Amino acid sequence: MLLTAPSSYHEKEIILLITQGNEQAFEALYRHYRNRTYTLALTYMNDPALAEDVLQEFFLKIWKVRQTLEKIDRFEQYLFTALRNRLISELRKNDRQQKIKAYLSRENAWQPTAEQMTESRELHSAIREALQQLPEKQQTIYRMSREEGLNHEEIALKLQLSPRTISNLLSLTLNHLRTVLRAQGYLPGTVVAATLFFY
């Protein structure tokens, strides 16, 4: 099943595919809720970086428990209730000023280990090499989506293509990246995170 533009979003079908481990379906679900969940996270955290951190962890948690999603009758209600609970739990750990101070401290003082730096460089290199195997148009669409944060309609307008074409080409690109990363031995969680959140 090829998931295309948001107009073709059918949640029950998509959730069924997700429970079966379909990463493309999970990406469609993430795109569908991305803006609203980010707005909610930003309202609670009052810091874009912290909101992004919580949101990434939250969606990865959803992926990890994907086999239970089919049992949920009202998924949207479940999703936002779970996210609110996660945000409240995060806020309760420390008050807002303590969280910001701790975050800035980590940003300024934390240094990754040599092994972590090597792994990160290797992953980014693998993605770049895999992208270079694709036609220039697919590379451009991927970068506009991931680096510039443009949605399908905005990319379509800039490239004078239909949103459906953009969605299809991006899906082909992501499938190619996942195939290459899996072939190189990257774990499923790393593959999902890399293709959803990182370049």
Side-chain angles (χ1 to χ4, degrees):
M1 176 182 179
L2 181 61
L3 302 171
T4 56
S7 60
S8 67
Y9 181 88
H10 302 293
E11 192 157 273
K12 289 186 178 180
E13 296 176 12
I14 286 174
I15 289 176
L16 177 60
L17 289 171
I18 292 172
T19 64
Q20 298 169 355
N22 188 306
E23 295 170 4
Q24 187 179 350
F26 183 71
E27 186 206 343
L29 181 139
Y30 171 78
R31 288 200 310 265
H32 183 73
Y33 286 108
R34 172 68 176 82
N35 290 340
R36 285 186 290 162
T37 53
Y38 175 75
T39 299
L40 180 62
L42 186 59
T43 299
Y44 276 78
M45 305 310 296
N46 199 31
D47 184 288
L50 290 174
E52 283 285 357
D53 287 347
V54 172
L55 206 57
Q56 288 185 19
E57 292 176 6
F58 176 75
F59 273 101
L60 288 177
K61 176 70 179 297
I62 293 293
W63 171 255
K64 289 177 182 178
V65 300
R66 60 189 178 277
Q67 293 179 342
T68 67
L69 300 182
E70 194 177 6
K71 301 176 184 178
I72 299 170
D73 291 329
R74 298 179 179 178
F75 179 80
E76 182 171 329
Q77 180 179 337
Y78 159 82
L79 182 77
F80 283 95
T81 299
L83 179 55
R84 285 189 185 94
N85 291 340
R86 176 71 183 85
L87 291 165
I88 291 170
S89 175
E90 188 70 18
L91 288 174
R92 282 175 177 169
K93 291 179 182 178
N94 297 291
D95 64 41
R96 189 169 70 89
Q97 291 301 323
Q98 290 175 323
K99 286 182 65 62
I100 294 175
K101 182 179 179 180
Y103 175 77
L104 293 175
S105 177
R106 289 197 303 271
E107 286 289 291
N108 293 330
W110 181 80
Q111 293 294 330
T113 65
E115 182 179 1
Q116 289 170 328
M117 292 180 65
T118 299
E119 290 175 353
S120 178
R121 284 196 298 267
E122 289 176 350
L123 176 58
H124 282 70
S125 177
I127 293 174
R128 283 195 300 270
E129 290 176 4
L131 279 174
Q132 290 170 1
Q133 298 170 10
L134 296 171
E136 183 65 30
K137 183 176 292 184
Q138 284 180 244
Q139 296 183 42
T140 299
I141 291 171
Y142 181 86
R143 293 189 174 100
M144 291 175 76
S145 171
R146 292 304 185 265
E147 293 183 359
E148 299 178 33
L150 302 181
N151 61 36
H152 293 185
E153 288 74 17
E154 291 169 333
I155 298 173
L157 185 62
K158 285 195 171 187
L159 298 183
Q160 297 185 334
L161 297 169
S162 71
R164 184 185 182 90
T165 297
I166 298 300
S167 182
N168 288 343
L169 289 174
L170 185 57
S171 293
L172 289 173
T173 300
L174 294 174
N175 285 337
H176 171 73
L177 293 179
R178 293 182 186 115
T179 299
V180 170
L181 292 177
R182 285 197 200 97
Q184 295 185 20
Y186 286 98
L187 296 175
T190 300
V191 173
V192 171
T195 53
L196 281 182
F197 304 123
F198 303 117
Y199 166 64

